[in-house]
Amino acid sequence: MIKVSNAEKLAEQAVAALKWEANFSPKPGLVTKSSNGSHKDMNIDLFIKSADSLYDTFLRIANVSKSIPISVVLREKVGAIGRDGEKAMLTATHGVNTHKGAIWALGIIVAVISNQSTTDMSIIFQKCGELASIADRYVQLHSKTTYGIQVKKVYKINGAREEVANGFPHVKTSLRLINGQMVTDQLAWLRVLCLLYATVDDTNVIHRSSLSVLRVFQNEAKQAFEAPVIQESLAFKQVTKMAEDYQISPGGCADLFAATYFLNNLVIEED
């Protein structure tokens, strides 16, 4: 029997998390197996292709992180591999940005787990913050100004990079809520999704609408989160309607949703 390395396990689990997130339903505004959400250029098949295209990216990140301490050297190597991953993703999707944020979030998580060889969440979150806080001098040379960056400058809010640099505060809260529950507990995971919708200042939502729309959307999601039966609540129906009316796509929440799933189901051989 061929033994699968931890690097391979991590890459497989990262891809599986992205596929699980894509298939999860209902997910207002986002692509699912039964809806394209607020997107005209995306569907479930494209997300599955995108996820599969990233296996080599996560494998390379895991392998390079095994022997280099958390440092600027590792940060820049992970950054370079991540940018290669973005190119592979865009090739697979014919130019559609399906998983750029997920490459960043899951890439840092994979790097840290491989580096530390641990499933201890407190260590993982601490080291993710340390690694993500290190400046990558090559970022400005290769990166274009994104809508997320523009929104952060205008509204002075945190985005995807700050979430990771701060040690994934929203993922921490989501993990406590799910508390190791099985993947098949759809209602528990829907509550996690509503919590993310309610608390994450998702720059994708602001870009497609406004900060005031985001705040109303968050308030409705909070009420849905607190409802005894989420899907039957008026608040959840309003969240769904707002996503349709404003063509809201909470892509940042989707990335954190996938990260929560990944960590909740993490399996590696610890040192």
Side-chain angles (χ1 to χ4, degrees), residues 66-103:
K66 287 190 292 187
S67 57
I68 302 174
I70 290 179
S71 60
V72 67
V73 174
L74 180 59
R75 173 68 185 87
E76 291 179 351
K77 285 183 179 294
V78 169
I81 296 170
R83 288 187 287 274
D84 287 345
E86 289 178 18
K87 293 176 184 176
M89 172 198 72
L90 292 172
T91 297
T93 63
H94 303 289
V96 179
N97 175 15
T98 42
H99 283 127
K100 183 173 181 177
I103 295 171

Side-chain angles (χ1 to χ4, degrees), residues 128-149:
C128 279
E130 289 179 16
L131 183 58
S133 295
I134 297 171
D136 178 351
R137 59 187 154 165
Y138 299 106
V139 167
Q140 296 301 325
L141 296 176
H142 297 277
S143 299
K144 297 178 181 179
T145 298
T146 63
Y147 291 127
I149 291 173

Side-chain angles (χ1 to χ4, degrees), residues 135-182:
D136 178 351
R137 59 187 154 165
Y138 299 106
V139 167
Q140 296 301 325
L141 296 176
H142 297 277
S143 299
K144 297 178 181 179
T145 298
T146 63
Y147 291 127
I149 291 173
Q150 293 172 3
V151 167
K152 284 193 297 181
K153 285 182 178 179
V154 172
Y155 295 102
K156 309 299 181 186
I157 61 173
N158 289 337
R161 292 196 175 275
E162 291 76 19
E163 171 74 19
V164 184
N166 290 332
F168 287 102
H170 292 96
V171 175
K172 284 181 187 176
T173 303
S174 296
L175 279 175
R176 286 195 293 269
L177 182 65
I178 202 68
N179 195 28
Q181 293 181 67
M182 296 298 291

